[in-house]
Amino acid sequence: MPESGHTWQKAFKGEPIEAPHVRLWVRGRVEHPDAPLVADELFVAVLGSGALVVEMTLSTAGARIRITAQGPDPLPLIHSHGPGWSILTALCHRAGLTTDESGLWGQLGGCS
């Protein structure tokens, strides 16, 4: 039986003042207690690369939640695996760089 889910996307301005809005946006859609913090870490990493806009995607499938933050350009190594990376990998079952290397994602719940 296929898992049902939802996907939401929203573009946020590439400004630090948007971080609380990102957390609130995620908190309003999923109940996982770590989801807002994961979204914040992803947003800040892409924001730090100088992106003028950060596209946030939140997807659910069964018990899994995947959060992605994406900018327009490939992320420098310091932003893709910098200080927030240890927080991200500690909270998520899986995490990684998007295939075009311009974003990061983290998955909560479930190991598949």
Side-chain angles (χ1 to χ4, degrees), residues 38 64-67 88 91-95 105-112:
V38 168
R64 292 185 305 273
I65 301 166
R66 181 170 286 200
I67 306 167
L88 185 62
L91 294 175
C92 295
H93 287 92
R94 294 178 180 232
W105 60 270
Q107 181 175 304
L108 298 162
C111 295
S112 354

Side-chain angles (χ1 to χ4, degrees), residues 1-41:
M1 178 190 247
E3 295 177 310
S4 62
H6 292 65
T7 297
W8 299 270
Q9 284 188 307
K10 184 170 181 177
F12 291 88
K13 293 178 188 174
E15 298 175 3
I17 192 76
E18 291 291 302
H21 300 279
V22 169
R23 293 189 301 271
L24 186 62
W25 178 74
V26 169
R27 191 176 297 118
R29 284 157 182 78
V30 296
E31 294 182 11
H32 195 289
D34 295 332
L37 179 56
V38 168
D40 185 74
E41 290 298 326

